Amino acid sequence: MWAGASCGRGGFFFSSVLLLLLSGPPSPRPAGGQLRYTVPEELEHGAFVANLGEDLGLDVSTLSARRFRIVSRAGARPHLEVNLENGILFVNERIDREEVCEEGGTCLLHLQLLVESPLELYRVEVEVLDINDHAPTFPWQEYVLEVAESAVLGARFPLESAQDPDVGTNSVHTYRLGPNGYFSLEVQTRSDASKFAELVLERALDREQQRAHRVLLTALDGGVPERSGTAHILVTVLDANDNVPAFDQPSYGVSLPEDAPAGTLVIQLNATDLDEGPNGEIEYSFSGHAPPRVRELFHIEPRSGQVLLKGPLDYERAHLHELYVQAKDRGPSAVAVHCRVLVHLLDVNDNAPEVTLTSVSTPVLEDAPPGTVIAVISVLDRDSGDNGRVSCEVSPDVPFELRSSFRNYYTLVTTQTLDREVVPEYNVSITARDMGSPALLTRSTLTVPVSDVNDNAPRFLQPSYSVYVMENNAPGASICSVSALDPDCQQNAYLSYSIADGHIHGMPVGTYVSINSDSGHMYALRSLDYEQIRSFQIQVQAQDAGFPPLSANVTVHIFVLDQNDNAPVIVSPMPRNGSVATELVPRSARPGYLVGTVSAVDADAGLNSRLSYQLLQATDFTLFSVAPETGELRTLRSFLEQDAPRQQLVVQVRDGGQPALSATVSLLLSVVETMPQTLSDFSEFSLPPEASSSSPLTLYLLVSLGSISFTFLLAILILTAIRCRGERRSRQGDSCSPPPCHCCPGSRPSSDGLKTSNLTAQPPTGTSAATCLDVPGGGPPGYCYKVCLGPESAQSDFMFLKPCSPLRNNEKDPGKLSQPGQHLQVSKQLKQPNTDWLPASVQRPALKRY
């Protein structure tokens, strides 16, 4: 190895500072509409380069918020960086000019500066100035030069050139030879301004006197401070081989396409030697100072002189290669001669355009106006000329377009408003195509998701809903489900259901139905009664969770279906005073004589209220019949002498429901010779069809019965208090025992002031006791009162009386209907009767009764 002059890193730094002082602070220089700065190489981290914020006229306080940054190509080293606090461009890492720019000449760093809100792009060039940080070096530390003793005076011997990576004045400037008595040094300049040295023989050599000569060769550069490198030349004196090879020309030039394959013949070199034998056989090789890159790319055949391509060429890396070849014969004292081969590369369109997404703003709102910037795209083609000229476009089937802002920079913007419900995501294909032949292209796909905006109201699956609910439903049971859809997504599509405020028959709708806010399932909060409400409608609202929220309404019609839950109610004849209905029939009645009409109503509807009549029990079934449809009771034949004077009948009324419900009425018909002028039981409590369902007569009857019951109860309490007070006085005055309590069922009425007092007692069950007290005369017929005694009744003087609940019509024991004197129990809490199947009014005969 050649020995270079030793110089530390401190010398590099000193030269950098000296260059800065001489050139002054870097100032921006406009170059084609862009800023240009200069900076020496080898500066330390943090060294000042320029104040970009001031030079570009930007507000320093907004640089961070606007994401001010340097846009670099993928894989590029960040030599420079920007301080976002003050806008100063500084050295981020040490810059080695010889590493950044392999070729000589001007070394430029191209920077693209990007700032957002609004989007702006600046271009800056920074020229890296060379400093004298490298000393010249020789390929070998010691060089052996063989010179024939027959060499004539003035013979020139080219020496190996020193290499200095620096450029300009900092490169090799001159050579110096140490003092000796045989040789001198001449420095020559090549066409590319590079220097090389030739050793000139000044005194004849005599191998017998001195076999070798050692001289010191020094290479000096032109930098400040000056650097140098040295090498020792050992001149060996040989016997005479007095002819040296000679090339056809000292320099060759050749052009080669950069895509030439390995093994391609670059050039055929030819050198001649006038000697014969081994002294005339020539061998070719690279000279000692051929750079390693040349040795990697090219190969020389030693005997033929063919220069062959060895490795791949790249025009974009280096478009010129300089080969230094030497030729030497094989004789003794062989002297090498040199030539230069310049290989010019021809550019080939071998680089496809590169597409880089510099800045992407996704997702984009679907209501973004046309012209909204989605992304900043940069394209680069490493080829030159037309091969490096690029055009960029997007597919025509998307609502986006490319707008060129700077050379090879584009912005992707929207051309129309977007709709996420139609297209939730776009795959934008960006095609970059160069102008080469054949043209190369690159396709890059950018996925642009569309962000949702609450622009769609919910929509129900049906315009309205009709729901049919059977009456007597269980409270809390599900009756239906409504469903709506919202084409939006996420929160904007989350729906909640609610029922609009309203009233149904004066009651809030919320007391009838409820709805699950998440699922839309509706539930009945109460048991519906067809006889009270047959249909109603509610408004259901579906509202999304967007901002502002959107909603939609739908009408739900709820129809209550009838169920056979009401037994027929006998309205005529009505018994009096708790006895059976009694009618008079003249003995002279002919067959078909109308005794009366049994009338009943049913609160249900349809078939459930269609009534049929039949004779269930009779003293003589051959004497009377009942019309199934109208309930008319007629005679079948004339009365005979042997017929009983009293005929007991039981008529059953049955509806058409499934299962069928029924009611019965007991009739006592008396056969008389003449009819008295009194009304029969068939004419009492008979309601006209229109009054049986909606007349206020029922209400008046209930109010009257309630008033009478309250008066009767108050009278009983007063009488009981007076009697108890009299008994206390009698016990205190006369020491008499209390009167006995008549508790025997069926006891006859006594002859005291109360006329009759039948008290029916039942044994207690568990801890409760119920006693039925029948008080005739003072209250309405057919009522009994229970005396309810609790477990503490032994210590209490109070007596609680409440009305006895009569049995329902459908709970009667059919076996007891035929007993004479049985009362017909009719519930006072009757629903409004249904008159759909009432028969037409018929004429009732004026019958006498006992």
Side-chain angles (χ1 to χ4, degrees), residues 92-117:
N92 186 44
E93 64 179 29
R94 186 180 63 86
I95 304 175
D96 188 354
R97 183 190 180 282
E98 289 72 27
E99 179 183 352
V100 174
C101 302
E102 295 183 359
E103 299 181 20
T106 304
C107 182
L108 295 177
L109 296 179
H110 300 276
L111 305 180
Q112 284 81 30
L113 304 178
L114 184 67
V115 62
E116 298 180 355
S117 301

PDB file of all heavy atoms in Angstrom, residues 92-117:
ATOM      1  N   ASN A  92     -28.070  16.931   9.762  1.00  0.00           N
ATOM      2  CA  ASN A  92     -28.554  15.838  10.616  1.00  0.00           C
ATOM      3  C   ASN A  92     -27.498  14.750  10.795  1.00  0.00           C
ATOM      4  O   ASN A  92     -27.395  14.171  11.874  1.00  0.00           O
ATOM      5  CB  ASN A  92     -29.828  15.244  10.013  1.00  0.00           C
ATOM      6  CG  ASN A  92     -30.458  14.218  10.931  1.00  0.00           C
ATOM      7  OD1 ASN A  92     -30.565  14.435  12.134  1.00  0.00           O
ATOM      8  ND2 ASN A  92     -30.872  13.095  10.383  1.00  0.00           N
ATOM      9  N   GLU A  93     -26.741  14.465   9.762  1.00  0.00           N
ATOM     10  CA  GLU A  93     -25.636  13.528   9.867  1.00  0.00           C
ATOM     11  C   GLU A  93     -24.516  13.966   8.911  1.00  0.00           C
ATOM     12  O   GLU A  93     -24.750  14.700   7.960  1.00  0.00           O
ATOM     13  CB  GLU A  93     -26.098  12.103   9.542  1.00  0.00           C
ATOM     14  CG  GLU A  93     -26.573  11.894   8.116  1.00  0.00           C
ATOM     15  CD  GLU A  93     -26.982  10.456   7.872  1.00  0.00           C
ATOM     16  OE1 GLU A  93     -27.403   9.816   8.813  1.00  0.00           O
ATOM     17  OE2 GLU A  93     -26.846  10.010   6.722  1.00  0.00           O
ATOM     18  N   ARG A  94     -23.332  13.529   9.223  1.00  0.00           N
ATOM     19  CA  ARG A  94     -22.151  13.980   8.486  1.00  0.00           C
ATOM     20  C   ARG A  94     -22.311  13.681   6.998  1.00  0.00           C
ATOM     21  O   ARG A  94     -22.709  12.588   6.608  1.00  0.00           O
ATOM     22  CB  ARG A  94     -20.899  13.291   9.041  1.00  0.00           C
ATOM     23  CG  ARG A  94     -19.590  13.794   8.445  1.00  0.00           C
ATOM     24  CD  ARG A  94     -18.412  13.050   9.048  1.00  0.00           C
ATOM     25  NE  ARG A  94     -18.484  11.628   8.707  1.00  0.00           N
ATOM     26  CZ  ARG A  94     -18.000  11.106   7.581  1.00  0.00           C
ATOM     27  NH1 ARG A  94     -17.418  11.889   6.691  1.00  0.00           N
ATOM     28  NH2 ARG A  94     -18.089   9.803   7.353  1.00  0.00           N
ATOM     29  N   ILE A  95     -21.964  14.681   6.169  1.00  0.00           N
ATOM     30  CA  ILE A  95     -22.079  14.555   4.716  1.00  0.00           C
ATOM     31  C   ILE A  95     -20.681  14.332   4.146  1.00  0.00           C
ATOM     32  O   ILE A  95     -19.781  15.176   4.327  1.00  0.00           O
ATOM     33  CB  ILE A  95     -22.707  15.811   4.094  1.00  0.00           C
ATOM     34  CG1 ILE A  95     -24.072  16.113   4.735  1.00  0.00           C
ATOM     35  CG2 ILE A  95     -22.865  15.634   2.589  1.00  0.00           C
ATOM     36  CD1 ILE A  95     -24.702  17.398   4.261  1.00  0.00           C
ATOM     37  N   ASP A  96     -20.516  13.206   3.498  1.00  0.00           N
ATOM     38  CA  ASP A  96     -19.268  12.908   2.804  1.00  0.00           C
ATOM     39  C   ASP A  96     -19.519  13.116   1.316  1.00  0.00           C
ATOM     40  O   ASP A  96     -20.247  12.354   0.682  1.00  0.00           O
ATOM     41  CB  ASP A  96     -18.819  11.475   3.095  1.00  0.00           C
ATOM     42  CG  ASP A  96     -17.430  11.181   2.555  1.00  0.00           C
ATOM     43  OD1 ASP A  96     -16.864  12.049   1.850  1.00  0.00           O
ATOM     44  OD2 ASP A  96     -16.908  10.090   2.818  1.00  0.00           O
ATOM     45  N   ARG A  97     -18.939  14.190   0.789  1.00  0.00           N
ATOM     46  CA  ARG A  97     -19.212  14.517  -0.602  1.00  0.00           C
ATOM     47  C   ARG A  97     -18.805  13.385  -1.533  1.00  0.00           C
ATOM     48  O   ARG A  97     -19.482  13.092  -2.519  1.00  0.00           O
ATOM     49  CB  ARG A  97     -18.468  15.801  -0.986  1.00  0.00           C
ATOM     50  CG  ARG A  97     -18.750  16.276  -2.403  1.00  0.00           C
ATOM     51  CD  ARG A  97     -17.809  17.406  -2.792  1.00  0.00           C
ATOM     52  NE  ARG A  97     -18.101  17.834  -4.141  1.00  0.00           N
ATOM     53  CZ  ARG A  97     -17.726  17.186  -5.243  1.00  0.00           C
ATOM     54  NH1 ARG A  97     -17.020  16.074  -5.128  1.00  0.00           N
ATOM     55  NH2 ARG A  97     -18.045  17.639  -6.453  1.00  0.00           N
ATOM     56  N   GLU A  98     -17.692  12.734  -1.235  1.00  0.00           N
ATOM     57  CA  GLU A  98     -17.215  11.670  -2.105  1.00  0.00           C
ATOM     58  C   GLU A  98     -18.130  10.454  -2.060  1.00  0.00           C
ATOM     59  O   GLU A  98     -18.159   9.649  -2.995  1.00  0.00           O
ATOM     60  CB  GLU A  98     -15.786  11.263  -1.699  1.00  0.00           C
ATOM     61  CG  GLU A  98     -14.713  12.286  -2.029  1.00  0.00           C
ATOM     62  CD  GLU A  98     -14.784  13.508  -1.128  1.00  0.00           C
ATOM     63  OE1 GLU A  98     -15.268  13.360   0.020  1.00  0.00           O
ATOM     64  OE2 GLU A  98     -14.374  14.596  -1.547  1.00  0.00           O
ATOM     65  N   GLU A  99     -18.900  10.324  -0.983  1.00  0.00           N
ATOM     66  CA  GLU A  99     -19.849   9.211  -0.890  1.00  0.00           C
ATOM     67  C   GLU A  99     -21.183   9.564  -1.530  1.00  0.00           C
ATOM     68  O   GLU A  99     -21.808   8.742  -2.193  1.00  0.00           O
ATOM     69  CB  GLU A  99     -20.073   8.835   0.578  1.00  0.00           C
ATOM     70  CG  GLU A  99     -21.063   7.699   0.783  1.00  0.00           C
ATOM     71  CD  GLU A  99     -21.294   7.411   2.258  1.00  0.00           C
ATOM     72  OE1 GLU A  99     -20.568   7.989   3.089  1.00  0.00           O
ATOM     73  OE2 GLU A  99     -22.201   6.629   2.562  1.00  0.00           O
ATOM     74  N   VAL A 100     -21.601  10.817  -1.336  1.00  0.00           N
ATOM     75  CA  VAL A 100     -22.900  11.234  -1.874  1.00  0.00           C
ATOM     76  C   VAL A 100     -22.831  11.360  -3.386  1.00  0.00           C
ATOM     77  O   VAL A 100     -23.718  10.891  -4.114  1.00  0.00           O
ATOM     78  CB  VAL A 100     -23.334  12.559  -1.227  1.00  0.00           C
ATOM     79  CG1 VAL A 100     -24.609  13.076  -1.898  1.00  0.00           C
ATOM     80  CG2 VAL A 100     -23.557  12.379   0.265  1.00  0.00           C
ATOM     81  N   CYS A 101     -21.752  11.973  -3.898  1.00  0.00           N
ATOM     82  CA  CYS A 101     -21.609  12.185  -5.342  1.00  0.00           C
ATOM     83  C   CYS A 101     -20.367  11.434  -5.797  1.00  0.00           C
ATOM     84  O   CYS A 101     -19.230  11.884  -5.541  1.00  0.00           O
ATOM     85  CB  CYS A 101     -21.489  13.674  -5.662  1.00  0.00           C
ATOM     86  SG  CYS A 101     -22.897  14.653  -5.098  1.00  0.00           S
ATOM     87  N   GLU A 102     -20.595  10.298  -6.415  1.00  0.00           N
ATOM     88  CA  GLU A 102     -19.471   9.480  -6.850  1.00  0.00           C
ATOM     89  C   GLU A 102     -18.721  10.147  -7.990  1.00  0.00           C
ATOM     90  O   GLU A 102     -17.503   9.996  -8.129  1.00  0.00           O
ATOM     91  CB  GLU A 102     -19.946   8.108  -7.288  1.00  0.00           C
ATOM     92  CG  GLU A 102     -20.552   7.291  -6.157  1.00  0.00           C
ATOM     93  CD  GLU A 102     -20.958   5.909  -6.615  1.00  0.00           C
ATOM     94  OE1 GLU A 102     -20.784   5.611  -7.810  1.00  0.00           O
ATOM     95  OE2 GLU A 102     -21.438   5.159  -5.786  1.00  0.00           O
ATOM     96  N   GLU A 103     -19.414  10.887  -8.827  1.00  0.00           N
ATOM     97  CA  GLU A 103     -18.764  11.558  -9.933  1.00  0.00           C
ATOM     98  C   GLU A 103     -18.281  12.939  -9.495  1.00  0.00           C
ATOM     99  O   GLU A 103     -18.700  13.481  -8.467  1.00  0.00           O
ATOM    100  CB  GLU A 103     -19.717  11.694 -11.112  1.00  0.00           C
ATOM    101  CG  GLU A 103     -20.199  10.378 -11.668  1.00  0.00           C
ATOM    102  CD  GLU A 103     -21.130  10.564 -12.843  1.00  0.00           C
ATOM    103  OE1 GLU A 103     -21.109  11.648 -13.466  1.00  0.00           O
ATOM    104  OE2 GLU A 103     -21.870   9.633 -13.129  1.00  0.00           O
ATOM    105  N   GLY A 104     -17.385  13.503 -10.281  1.00  0.00           N
ATOM    106  CA  GLY A 104     -16.907  14.843  -9.998  1.00  0.00           C
ATOM    107  C   GLY A 104     -17.932  15.872 -10.409  1.00  0.00           C
ATOM    108  O   GLY A 104     -19.049  15.567 -10.829  1.00  0.00           O
ATOM    109  N   GLY A 105     -17.534  17.127 -10.323  1.00  0.00           N
ATOM    110  CA  GLY A 105     -18.429  18.205 -10.693  1.00  0.00           C
ATOM    111  C   GLY A 105     -19.231  18.682  -9.499  1.00  0.00           C
ATOM    112  O   GLY A 105     -18.908  18.435  -8.331  1.00  0.00           O
ATOM    113  N   THR A 106     -20.317  19.375  -9.798  1.00  0.00           N
ATOM    114  CA  THR A 106     -21.152  19.954  -8.747  1.00  0.00           C
ATOM    115  C   THR A 106     -21.960  18.860  -8.059  1.00  0.00           C
ATOM    116  O   THR A 106     -22.593  18.025  -8.708  1.00  0.00           O
ATOM    117  CB  THR A 106     -22.106  21.000  -9.339  1.00  0.00           C
ATOM    118  OG1 THR A 106     -21.330  21.979 -10.027  1.00  0.00           O
ATOM    119  CG2 THR A 106     -22.914  21.673  -8.241  1.00  0.00           C
ATOM    120  N   CYS A 107     -21.947  18.898  -6.708  1.00  0.00           N
ATOM    121  CA  CYS A 107     -22.692  17.900  -5.906  1.00  0.00           C
ATOM    122  C   CYS A 107     -23.887  18.608  -5.279  1.00  0.00           C
ATOM    123  O   CYS A 107     -23.724  19.513  -4.459  1.00  0.00           O
ATOM    124  CB  CYS A 107     -21.793  17.309  -4.828  1.00  0.00           C
ATOM    125  SG  CYS A 107     -22.599  16.038  -3.839  1.00  0.00           S
ATOM    126  N   LEU A 108     -25.077  18.212  -5.678  1.00  0.00           N
ATOM    127  CA  LEU A 108     -26.306  18.865  -5.224  1.00  0.00           C
ATOM    128  C   LEU A 108     -27.186  17.877  -4.470  1.00  0.00           C
ATOM    129  O   LEU A 108     -27.309  16.715  -4.869  1.00  0.00           O
ATOM    130  CB  LEU A 108     -27.096  19.432  -6.411  1.00  0.00           C
ATOM    131  CG  LEU A 108     -26.437  20.564  -7.198  1.00  0.00           C
ATOM    132  CD1 LEU A 108     -27.324  20.947  -8.368  1.00  0.00           C
ATOM    133  CD2 LEU A 108     -26.175  21.765  -6.316  1.00  0.00           C
ATOM    134  N   LEU A 109     -27.772  18.368  -3.372  1.00  0.00           N
ATOM    135  CA  LEU A 109     -28.823  17.633  -2.648  1.00  0.00           C
ATOM    136  C   LEU A 109     -30.155  18.310  -2.955  1.00  0.00           C
ATOM    137  O   LEU A 109     -30.328  19.504  -2.679  1.00  0.00           O
ATOM    138  CB  LEU A 109     -28.553  17.645  -1.137  1.00  0.00           C
ATOM    139  CG  LEU A 109     -27.292  16.930  -0.655  1.00  0.00           C
ATOM    140  CD1 LEU A 109     -27.166  17.067   0.857  1.00  0.00           C
ATOM    141  CD2 LEU A 109     -27.312  15.459  -1.043  1.00  0.00           C
ATOM    142  N   HIS A 110     -31.080  17.564  -3.541  1.00  0.00           N
ATOM    143  CA  HIS A 110     -32.391  18.102  -3.900  1.00  0.00           C
ATOM    144  C   HIS A 110     -33.383  17.775  -2.781  1.00  0.00           C
ATOM    145  O   HIS A 110     -33.589  16.605  -2.447  1.00  0.00           O
ATOM    146  CB  HIS A 110     -32.879  17.512  -5.222  1.00  0.00           C
ATOM    147  CG  HIS A 110     -31.970  17.806  -6.378  1.00  0.00           C
ATOM    148  ND1 HIS A 110     -32.024  18.979  -7.088  1.00  0.00           N
ATOM    149  CD2 HIS A 110     -30.950  17.075  -6.933  1.00  0.00           C
ATOM    150  CE1 HIS A 110     -31.103  18.972  -8.041  1.00  0.00           C
ATOM    151  NE2 HIS A 110     -30.437  17.816  -7.961  1.00  0.00           N
ATOM    152  N   LEU A 111     -33.961  18.817  -2.213  1.00  0.00           N
ATOM    153  CA  LEU A 111     -34.912  18.654  -1.109  1.00  0.00           C
ATOM    154  C   LEU A 111     -36.294  19.102  -1.559  1.00  0.00           C
ATOM    155  O   LEU A 111     -36.428  20.116  -2.252  1.00  0.00           O
ATOM    156  CB  LEU A 111     -34.476  19.479   0.115  1.00  0.00           C
ATOM    157  CG  LEU A 111     -33.069  19.225   0.656  1.00  0.00           C
ATOM    158  CD1 LEU A 111     -32.816  20.130   1.851  1.00  0.00           C
ATOM    159  CD2 LEU A 111     -32.880  17.769   1.043  1.00  0.00           C
ATOM    160  N   GLN A 112     -37.289  18.329  -1.172  1.00  0.00           N
ATOM    161  CA  GLN A 112     -38.696  18.705  -1.372  1.00  0.00           C
ATOM    162  C   GLN A 112     -39.302  18.983   0.000  1.00  0.00           C
ATOM    163  O   GLN A 112     -39.323  18.101   0.862  1.00  0.00           O
ATOM    164  CB  GLN A 112     -39.490  17.606  -2.084  1.00  0.00           C
ATOM    165  CG  GLN A 112     -39.220  17.511  -3.567  1.00  0.00           C
ATOM    166  CD  GLN A 112     -37.968  16.755  -3.873  1.00  0.00           C
ATOM    167  OE1 GLN A 112     -37.602  15.865  -3.107  1.00  0.00           O
ATOM    168  NE2 GLN A 112     -37.284  17.075  -4.954  1.00  0.00           N
ATOM    169  N   LEU A 113     -39.759  20.203   0.208  1.00  0.00           N
ATOM    170  CA  LEU A 113     -40.341  20.618   1.484  1.00  0.00           C
ATOM    171  C   LEU A 113     -41.854  20.656   1.326  1.00  0.00           C
ATOM    172  O   LEU A 113     -42.366  21.264   0.378  1.00  0.00           O
ATOM    173  CB  LEU A 113     -39.826  21.990   1.900  1.00  0.00           C
ATOM    174  CG  LEU A 113     -38.290  22.111   2.000  1.00  0.00           C
ATOM    175  CD1 LEU A 113     -37.905  23.520   2.360  1.00  0.00           C
ATOM    176  CD2 LEU A 113     -37.738  21.122   3.020  1.00  0.00           C
ATOM    177  N   LEU A 114     -42.561  20.026   2.275  1.00  0.00           N
ATOM    178  CA  LEU A 114     -44.019  19.922   2.215  1.00  0.00           C
ATOM    179  C   LEU A 114     -44.611  20.524   3.471  1.00  0.00           C
ATOM    180  O   LEU A 114     -44.134  20.250   4.584  1.00  0.00           O
ATOM    181  CB  LEU A 114     -44.462  18.459   2.081  1.00  0.00           C
ATOM    182  CG  LEU A 114     -45.960  18.206   1.922  1.00  0.00           C
ATOM    183  CD1 LEU A 114     -46.421  18.767   0.579  1.00  0.00           C
ATOM    184  CD2 LEU A 114     -46.249  16.721   1.998  1.00  0.00           C
ATOM    185  N   VAL A 115     -45.610  21.357   3.315  1.00  0.00           N
ATOM    186  CA  VAL A 115     -46.346  21.928   4.435  1.00  0.00           C
ATOM    187  C   VAL A 115     -47.829  21.822   4.118  1.00  0.00           C
ATOM    188  O   VAL A 115     -48.239  21.999   2.970  1.00  0.00           O
ATOM    189  CB  VAL A 115     -45.913  23.393   4.681  1.00  0.00           C
ATOM    190  CG1 VAL A 115     -46.224  24.256   3.487  1.00  0.00           C
ATOM    191  CG2 VAL A 115     -46.586  23.947   5.945  1.00  0.00           C
ATOM    192  N   GLU A 116     -48.640  21.509   5.119  1.00  0.00           N
ATOM    193  CA  GLU A 116     -50.068  21.262   4.942  1.00  0.00           C
ATOM    194  C   GLU A 116     -50.882  22.407   5.529  1.00  0.00           C
ATOM    195  O   GLU A 116     -50.367  23.269   6.225  1.00  0.00           O
ATOM    196  CB  GLU A 116     -50.456  19.938   5.606  1.00  0.00           C
ATOM    197  CG  GLU A 116     -49.765  18.736   5.017  1.00  0.00           C
ATOM    198  CD  GLU A 116     -50.170  17.432   5.692  1.00  0.00           C
ATOM    199  OE1 GLU A 116     -50.922  17.499   6.680  1.00  0.00           O
ATOM    200  OE2 GLU A 116     -49.720  16.374   5.246  1.00  0.00           O
ATOM    201  N   SER A 117     -52.177  22.350   5.195  1.00  0.00           N
ATOM    202  CA  SER A 117     -53.183  23.285   5.735  1.00  0.00           C
ATOM    203  C   SER A 117     -52.849  24.746   5.471  1.00  0.00           C
ATOM    204  O   SER A 117     -52.590  25.505   6.390  1.00  0.00           O
ATOM    205  CB  SER A 117     -53.353  23.046   7.230  1.00  0.00           C
ATOM    206  OG  SER A 117     -53.754  21.752   7.496  1.00  0.00           O
TER     207      SER A 117
END
